[in-house]
């Protein structure tokens, strides 16, 4: 993209920024403006003061100095999957890290170092060449950094924990313009905060994390007719009670839109679904799955697969889409929870939701450790996420109303605190963390960004100085 700086840019001093960066600066009025401000979630209408595309960590240092000196604020995005969580971008420069593309795997040490624009699908493929797996989430084109800063709940989580706890070091530029490599020995308070506290503390330029020796898994999806929603979700619930931590599963209702992007026979179809991943042999996996298979699925995709193929298991959209949704944790799920869920989102409800999923937690996700960061565990039995398409205003309102109705129906089982990565509307950080953790994050914010140069998803507000 070649930037065409405009009169607007000159007025706001953005032309000076253009002079000091290797990367591009795009301002309102430029021919590239609408493309530059676009987020992965096409429903987000982002209106920042400018969009910058740093080419290096030095560019990021220059952007931070420029914003501080000229009275702008900064918000950082890898992909814009989480764009719907941002508050107003007034007087805010949007820093897009998509050109920071370095990716190194150390097969001996079983570690990866990736720059801030790298996506999970890229890491999964590179790690798999060495028989290794990363703690990626369900979608291959989610950014490694955004996902990990918010905790990161993936297919291997019940065995290996949240992605944030496998982080070894984070390189970032702080509000005072320093390039910091934070790890357990270097600025440990900052290292604690960025592992789960989100993007409130600086602009991450690279991240280093552990990989695990998992070359293949037993995984797949069972599709049942939508009409059997209550029966299948109840059977899944009974089943997950006794599954080992090597198995992570999802109970889900899906209504695939009738659009060409969705392959037959799923296009336009509605299903009750169980997805699962088992770290172990085919024989053991098939034995574990037997009770659900005996229910007679209409389609069954289970088998041994290379671990990198997990990136397709959840059937997340392969391209940017307009979506609205929200998610939260459920302390527990009972047959009454399922009854309430199916009443709002099941076959007779007229629900417009494309997906309502419950992900099983527990195992390593629930095991605390003194070495963890701000989000080490999730103290709940399940994580729920509901989403629908938002192609126009009417559809958006319809979907939003149904998500709100679902949240109200499930209120008796809802956990007190939200789930950072699944909360898809702007939330104050205070509602997402236990009080002591939030206070700790606020003190780190005071130490590193007291004037709130950085606007992040689910922001941490600096503690009030006495
Ligand atoms: C289809 C889909 C599937 C998903 N699946 C999962 C899943 O399986 N598990 C899970 O835990 N979550 C999942 N999520 C949620 C996802 O982890 C969050 O939306 C996450 O924030 C996305 O990161 P991103 O960098 O792609 O998004 P962005 O919108 O680019 O970034 C999100 C936020 O992260 C911060 N940030 C990003 N980059 C930087 C940086 N370089 N420096 C500082 N701060 C930064 C900013 O605060 C930014 O607003 C999913 C979301 C979608 C849309």
């Amino acid at each position: 993209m070649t930037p065409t700086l405009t009169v607007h840019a000159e007025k706001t001093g953005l032309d000076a920024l253009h002079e000091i960066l290797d990367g591009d600066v795009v301002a309102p009025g430029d021919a590239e403006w609408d493309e530059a401000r676009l987020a992965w979630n096409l429903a987000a209408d982002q209106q920042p003061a400018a969009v910058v595309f740093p080419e290096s960590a030095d560019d990021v240092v220059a952007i931070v100095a420029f914003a501080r000196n000229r009275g702008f604020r900064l918000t950082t995005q890898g992909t814009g999957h989480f764009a719907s969580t941002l508050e107003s971008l007034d007087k805010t420069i949007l820093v897009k890290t998509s050109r920071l593309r370095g990716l190194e795997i150390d097969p001996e040490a079983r570690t990866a170092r990736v720059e801030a624009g790298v996506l999970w699908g890229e890491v999964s493929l590179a790690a798999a060449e060495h028989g290794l797996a990363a703690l990626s989430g369900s979608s291959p084109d989610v950014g490694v950094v955004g996902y990990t800063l918010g905790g990161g709940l993936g297919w291997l989580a019940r065995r290996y924990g949240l992605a944030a706890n496998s982080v070894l070091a984070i390189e970032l530029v702080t509000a005072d313009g320093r390039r910091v490599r934070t790890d357990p020995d270097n600025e440990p308070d900052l290292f604690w905060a960025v592992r789960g506290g989100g993007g409130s503390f600086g602009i991450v330029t690279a991240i280093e994390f552990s990989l695990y020796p998992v070359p293949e898994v037993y995984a797949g999806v069972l599709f049942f007719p939508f009409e059997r929603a209550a029966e299948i979700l109840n059977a899944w619930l009974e089943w997950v009670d006794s599954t080992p931590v090597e198995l992570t599963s999802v109970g889900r209702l899906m209504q695939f839109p009738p659009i060409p992007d969705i392959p037959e026979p799923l296009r336009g179809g509605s299903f009750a679904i169980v997805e699962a991943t088992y770290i172990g042999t085919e024989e053991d996996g098939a034995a574990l799955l037997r009770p659900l298979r005996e229910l007679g699925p209409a389609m069954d995709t289970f088998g041994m697969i290379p671990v990198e193929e997990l990136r397709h298991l959840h059937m997340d959209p392969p391209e940017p889409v307009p979506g609205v949704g929200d998610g939260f944790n459920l302390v527990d799920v009972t047959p009454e929870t399922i009854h309430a869920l199916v009443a709002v989102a099941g076959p007779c409800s007229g629900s417009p939701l494309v997906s309502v999923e419950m992900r099983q937690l527990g195992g390593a996700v629930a095991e605390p450790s003194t070495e963890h960061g701000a989000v080490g565990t999730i103290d709940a039995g399940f994580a729920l996420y509901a989403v629908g398409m938002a192609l126009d205003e009417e559809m958006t309102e319809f979907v939003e109303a149904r998500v709100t109705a679902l949240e109200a129906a499930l209120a008796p089982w809802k956990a007190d605190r939200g789930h950072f990565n699944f909360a898809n509307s702007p939330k104050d950080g205070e509602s997402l963390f236990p009080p002591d953790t939030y206070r700790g994050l606020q003190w780190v914010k005071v130490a590193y960004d007291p004037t709130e140069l950085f606007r992040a998803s689910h922001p941490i507000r600096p503690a009030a100085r006495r």
Side-chain angles (χ1 to χ4, degrees):
M1 188 181 307
T2 316
T4 350
L5 281 173
T6 58
V7 175
H8 171 90
E10 283 158 26
K11 275 194 202 143
T12 52
L14 289 167
D15 48 341
L17 180 58
H18 177 60
E19 294 298 314
I20 54 176
L21 291 191
D22 286 333
D24 287 337
V25 183
V26 186
D30 289 347
E32 304 85 358
W33 178 240
D34 282 336
E35 188 193 335
R37 68 189 184 86
L38 212 60
W40 184 93
N41 185 346
L42 301 174
D45 179 21
Q46 309 197 101
Q47 298 287 354
V51 184
V52 293
F53 294 87
E55 299 273 355
S56 64
D58 284 345
D59 267 3
V60 175
V61 171
I63 292 163
V64 168
F66 175 87
R68 219 183 36 231
N69 296 336
R70 305 274 181 145
F72 287 102
R73 297 172 78 187
L74 295 169
T75 197
T76 314
Q77 252 170 25
T79 65
H81 269 84
F82 225 19
S84 58
T85 59
L86 291 173
E87 292 161 350
S88 157
L89 295 184
D90 187 36
K91 295 199 174 66
T92 302
I93 296 173
L94 171 58
V95 182
K96 288 203 171 184
T97 60
S98 50
R99 296 184 188 175
L100 302 178
R101 310 236 27 93
L103 193 177
E104 298 155 41
I105 305 285
D106 182 338
E108 298 301 316
R110 290 184 184 156
T111 60
R113 177 187 178 277
V114 308
E115 291 186 341
V118 172
L119 309 179
W120 270 125
E122 299 171 282
V123 180
S124 305
L125 288 168
E129 286 178 23
H130 307 282
L132 298 170
L135 300 187
S136 55
S138 61
S139 173
D141 63 355
V142 158
V144 174
V145 170
Y147 166 93
T148 307
L149 296 182
L153 178 68
W155 280 119
L156 311 182
R158 279 168 42 81
R159 171 68 180 81
Y160 294 111
L162 298 175
N165 297 323
S166 282
V167 172
L168 302 167
I170 293 193
E171 296 165 35
L172 73 169
V173 178
T174 50
D176 55 7
R178 284 185 308 133
R179 281 181 69 172
V180 174
R181 180 184 158 89
T182 182
D183 61 27
D185 302 319
N186 188 21
E187 311 203 24
D189 290 350
L190 180 60
F191 188 58
W192 172 81
V194 285
R195 289 178 298 147
S200 289
F201 307 96
I203 299 183
V204 173
T205 53
I207 184 166
E208 204 175 298
F209 49 90
S210 297
L211 302 170
Y212 297 93
V214 183
E216 54 179 4
V217 288
Y218 183 76
V221 185
L222 300 179
F223 294 84
F224 296 90
F226 199 40
E227 294 65 35
R228 295 178 68 187
E231 177 206 348
I232 299 305
L233 291 181
N234 274 304
W236 168 73
L237 182 62
E238 209 174 300
W239 181 67
V240 296
D241 221 22
S242 60
T243 48
V245 297
E246 287 77 16
L247 191 145
T248 296
S249 71
V250 176
R252 189 174 192 193
L253 302 181
M254 276 197 94
Q255 302 187 82
F256 292 94
I259 54 176
D261 291 353
I262 298 184
E264 291 286 6
L266 301 178
R267 189 184 306 153
S270 297
F271 301 91
I273 282 174
V274 177
E275 300 165 357
T277 296
Y278 173 62
I279 308 168
T281 64
E282 177 157 24
E283 195 186 3
D284 292 347
L288 280 165
L289 196 66
R290 190 170 304 123
L292 295 180
R293 274 203 165 128
E294 283 172 357
L295 298 173
M299 274 184 286
D300 174 349
T301 70
F302 273 87
M304 289 305 287
I305 57 168
V307 73
E308 68 274 21
E309 291 305 314
L310 282 179
R311 68 194 193 283
H312 302 304
L313 185 66
H314 200 54
M315 300 169 282
D316 284 336
E319 299 289 337
V321 285
V324 279
D326 223 337
F328 45 87
N329 294 328
L330 296 166
V331 175
D332 196 12
V333 171
T334 67
E336 290 74 31
T337 326
I338 289 173
H339 182 76
L341 185 151
V342 171
V344 180
C348 303
S349 66
S351 162
L353 300 176
V354 171
S355 167
V356 179
E357 64 174 290
M358 289 178 286
R359 294 196 190 186
Q360 182 189 7
L361 303 175
V365 175
E367 279 167 25
S369 157
T370 51
E371 291 176 9
H372 282 168
V375 173
T377 57
I378 301 179
D379 187 17
F382 298 83
L384 180 134
Y385 188 72
V387 68
M389 300 278 281
L391 294 177
D392 56 39
E393 210 171 306
E394 195 184 345
M395 193 188 268
T396 304
E397 282 172 13
F398 189 31
V399 172
E400 277 172 351
R402 194 52 67 108
V403 173
T404 304
L406 185 64
E407 192 168 349
L410 300 185
W413 301 278
K414 205 176 148 204
D416 289 344
R417 281 176 292 280
H419 181 146
F420 196 102
N421 274 1
F422 279 30
N424 221 355
S425 52
K427 298 267 188 291
D428 209 65
E430 198 161 12
S431 66
L432 299 171
F433 300 95
D436 285 352
T437 306
Y438 188 64
R439 267 193 297 279
L441 289 169
Q442 287 190 290
W443 284 113
V444 178
K445 182 74 175 171
V446 166
Y448 283 90
D449 184 21
T451 61
E452 297 188 81
L453 177 69
F454 301 116
R455 282 175 192 257
S457 298
H458 311 323
I460 308 298
R461 310 287 177 199
R465 289 179 193 272
R466 286 172 205 277

